[in-house]
Amino acid sequence: MKANKLFSVVVLGASLFAGLFAKAQSDSKPTFNEFKLETRADFQCTDGNGGEAGFYGRYLTLHLGGNLTDKLSYYYRQQLKANAGGIKFYDNTDFLWINYDFNKNWAVRLGKDALMVGGFEYDARPIDVMYSSYYWDNYYCFQMAATGFWKSNDGNHKVAFQFGTSPYSFTGSPYGENNRFSYNLMWMGSLGKHVSTLWSVNAFQYTDNEYMGNIALGTKLTYDKWEGYIDLIHRDPYMNFSVTDFSIVSRIDWKPMDGLKVFFKGAYEYNDDMLGDPSNPYLAPGLVRDIMSVPNSSLCYYGLGAEYRPEFCRDLRFHLFVARFDRDYFDNTPDRSDLMLNLGMSWQVNFLKYMNK
């Protein structure tokens, strides 16, 4: 079935399903409690090597979710875009999972899911990431997986145990095999009113017998009108704990008034791993093991921006930011600097909200 036909069937089925259950939701547990479409459009100017300017449609995303029973829930998020080349419709599916709660402490989730990796930039919805690290841009995080969850009685701590496909298995990858796996352990914590954590340890398989180690420590502080996080990400292609491949990402938000957010965001990425190890048959010379960072280079970026949601419609958001990106190479490759100006808007159509009015 063609992608556009499949999309039409999904939307039609969802609309009928929503209509059948909209009235019942007022006096029974909802079975269909999320049905919305959201998008973002930007005008962006880049002044640097090969600078350009133009309008860009960033995202067009369909969300469906709800409960099948008191213990069984589902969620579906689809990026609606043309399928170029070998990209398949399912490759643009972010989430398509089903979750079963055994009790208030234990649950299991199966299906297409985000790999359980720490960090708040990684955890943010794509439409909310105004400008991003190279690490974020190249993380193929939506994979088939089985995940078990444990939650503390007070709800402040949650631990995820996940077995899934490796991010090195994706359409167009030089590895490109579905029998590459990832093993992920993640802690999602709330330490009082002001501190929250997204910490993980991960192992991503990229050849038959080799793994990329990953430690991601995301910590967020919240106080009054201020909020900020710092992500410390250590990538270890040799599994020897050498600090040669890492990212540091941070963002600070200030909310001076209702609906307005001013933010500063910056990052530093470093990777001095250029060639494989000729003594190891699985690490061929020239093999780029870390697909989430440019080898033999560093990247420093920083920027300032603002987001505004008008009072008459909180589903509408305007944004503006200016950011600078400096890429330094450790060999004779010319360095690169870019200055980016971006303004745009995002909006969502929450079908259930309008149907229930």
Side-chain angles (χ1 to χ4, degrees), residues 244-295:
T244 59
D245 187 0
F246 63 87
S247 298
I248 302 172
V249 184
S250 183
R251 172 168 163 156
I252 299 173
D253 294 349
W254 174 48
K255 302 174 183 178
M257 57 179 287
D258 190 30
L260 178 63
K261 180 189 297 183
V262 179
F263 66 88
F264 169 83
K265 183 181 179 184
Y268 181 74
E269 298 182 298
Y270 180 92
N271 182 5
D272 72 354
D273 178 38
M274 182 58 181
L275 299 177
D277 182 359
S279 66
N280 189 328
Y282 294 101
L283 300 178
L287 177 65
V288 178
R289 286 174 297 283
D290 183 5
I291 59 175
M292 302 151 201
S293 179
V294 176

Side-chain angles (χ1 to χ4, degrees), residues 143-161:
Q143 303 287 350
M144 296 296 296
T147 310
F149 295 96
W150 172 85
K151 185 168 63 175
S152 63
N153 289 329
D154 59 10
N156 290 332
H157 301 280
K158 192 174 184 180
V159 178
F161 316 85

Side-chain angles (χ1 to χ4, degrees), residues 33-189:
N33 56 24
E34 184 170 6
F35 178 27
K36 66 181 180 182
L37 191 68
E38 63 180 358
T39 190
R40 172 177 154 189
D42 298 355
F43 178 78
Q44 181 169 297
C45 301
T46 304
D47 180 18
N49 304 87
E52 57 184 18
F55 289 97
Y56 300 89
R58 297 294 188 194
Y59 302 99
L60 180 59
T61 311
L62 175 69
H63 300 253
L64 300 172
N67 302 292
L68 300 176
T69 70
D70 289 343
K71 293 182 177 292
L72 199 61
S73 59
Y74 67 93
Y75 181 55
Y76 171 51
R77 191 175 85 187
Q78 180 73 42
Q79 300 294 336
L80 306 176
K81 59 179 70 173
N83 300 327
I87 303 298
K88 302 175 183 178
F89 184 81
Y90 195 70
D91 293 333
N92 293 323
T93 301
D94 295 341
F95 297 100
L96 185 55
W97 53 250
I98 192 164
N99 184 90
Y100 184 78
D101 294 314
F102 293 98
N103 51 48
K104 68 177 183 178
N105 299 113
W106 293 94
V108 65
R109 197 156 79 196
L110 304 173
K112 189 82 175 283
D113 203 348
L115 296 180
M116 292 293 164
V117 177
F120 286 90
E121 182 190 45
Y122 174 91
D123 187 62
R125 302 186 316 153
I127 200 169
D128 295 331
V129 178
M130 294 300 157
Y131 57 93
S132 55
S133 60
Y134 187 91
Y135 161 85
W136 188 91
D137 291 338
N138 291 275
Y139 214 116
Y140 296 88
C141 63
F142 299 114
Q143 303 287 350
M144 296 296 296
T147 310
F149 295 96
W150 172 85
K151 185 168 63 175
S152 63
N153 289 329
D154 59 10
N156 290 332
H157 301 280
K158 192 174 184 180
V159 178
F161 316 85
Q162 186 183 66
F163 170 66
T165 306
S166 170
Y168 285 81
S169 298
F170 63 95
T171 302
S173 167
Y175 305 92
E177 299 183 30
N178 289 327
N179 61 344
R180 309 294 189 216
F181 301 109
S182 67
Y183 305 86
N184 311 298
L185 175 64
M186 183 171 174
W187 168 46
M188 295 153 276

Side-chain angles (χ1 to χ4, degrees), residues 310-329:
E311 185 177 358
F312 69 86
C313 181
R314 297 303 192 191
D315 291 332
L316 177 64
R317 178 183 63 190
F318 300 95
H319 72 260
L320 168 69
F321 68 80
V322 178
R324 181 179 176 88
F325 296 78
D326 294 319
R327 170 76 67 184
D328 294 330
Y329 292 92

Side-chain angles (χ1 to χ4, degrees), residues 309-310 313-317 346-350 353-354:
R309 293 183 180 272
C313 181
R314 297 303 192 191
D315 291 332
L316 177 64
R317 178 183 63 190
S346 312
W347 67 95
Q348 68 176 15
V349 180
N350 190 330
K353 182 173 73 173
Y354 293 111

